[in-house]
Amino acid sequence: PSQPAEAQPAAEQPAAEKATSETEAAPAAGEATPETQAAPAAGEATPEAPAAPTEGEAAPAQPAAETPKSIEELNKQLQEGGSKKIELDMKSDRPKFSLLRSDNPQDYKRTQGIWISDSGNGRIVYMKNLYGEDFYALGLAGSGLGRFLHPEQIWVDSEGRIYVADRGNNRIIRMDDMRGLGWTEMDNHFLEPRGVAFHGKRLYISDTGNNRILVYNEFGAKEPMAEFKDPKIAGPGYLWLDLEGNLYVCCGEGNFKGQIVRIPYDLTTPPSQWTVYKGQGLSGASFMPTQMVQIEDKDFLVDTSNQRLVRVDNFKGRNAWELGEYGRGNFQFLEPRGLSLDEEGKIYIADTGNDRIVCLEPKAGGSWSAYDSLEPNFGLRSPRSVFVWSPQPPPEEEEETEGEEGQEAE
């Protein structure tokens, strides 16, 4: 994480300038010198010079310069000619970077925090916050148990189980915790799956290479409860589910005419009635959304082709708002892909090309913070997906059998 800049001492004044400042310029003809000031007019009181201390009397103490508490206060004092010998109070109560090390298995099964698919490093990462507190990484690049090959979307359910679309290995992985316990693979002839989401009892998968969306009633099932294959969802990518369980699919990555498709929860609505957003209300000719979320009925999405974060009121593009441009600084992006949010409404972005995770607070005037460590073992490389939180749909009502009803009656 970026560290606060250290205060730099003021540069030493060049000798020539110093000599000039010590030797005051001679006054012009007729100008009074500092020692020869004009005499006071008749009847005007003569200013009295401060009395010198008598013998044995201590000279009056000079007020001590107040110790600056911040860089801003330091700069102000230096500009006013204050002392350079200062002691800044730089103590901070913010969390520090730390590794997750514990003998308690429950410490590795989290339901709050930040999960990242660190695709370039072939691993997944957990951290409690953007300061890197409780940092923990799992995996190496490759195939087999405990390995990932270009991992894409990452998702965490309400019980802390972790789902990863392992694109390069053509599989979906589920784990019980960050140590990899309960590692289970699902490979139903997927081809480069990019998206995965889990809500209630349903598992949703973007089988990208086969241009279809699959819905299962449990992880590991051989046959899907629903399958969608339509030109509107060609090249399906990352997924999102709202509180009612409606599915949002970002489609067309690699095609600058992408779109977002909304599929209702009942899964019976024909494709002709699906709602589609194609970038209405936005500037630019291209549109390539890779992830979307909803906050208070507002749709937020990342448009990779234009290096920006977008917000619209609805799929008609009402009140469109754009933030970002190409670059590596604050409020700049380089091929952003993943998007998530927390319960407070903060936005988290996987800024893939800049190897960082960014947090924006729309409610706080768009404040900006980022995790962008350069340490060899703790730096991210091409992070593609980030997960923090998702709204949980209401539990499904289970139908009672006649036998159960009879037992209740007895």
Side-chain angles (χ1 to χ4, degrees), residues 51 117 160 186 198 259 314 325 359 378 395:
S117 64
M186 188 172 177
F198 188 90
Q259 58 190 22
N314 51 40
E325 61 182 0
C359 177
F378 311 121

Side-chain angles (χ1 to χ4, degrees), residues 298-317:
K298 308 290 185 183
D299 299 323
F300 285 79
L301 58 99
V302 281
D303 178 12
T304 301
S305 63
N306 290 289
Q307 324 293 339
R308 63 187 174 184
L309 173 70
V310 171
R311 184 196 66 202
V312 292
D313 287 355
N314 51 40
F315 272 19
K316 294 181 181 180

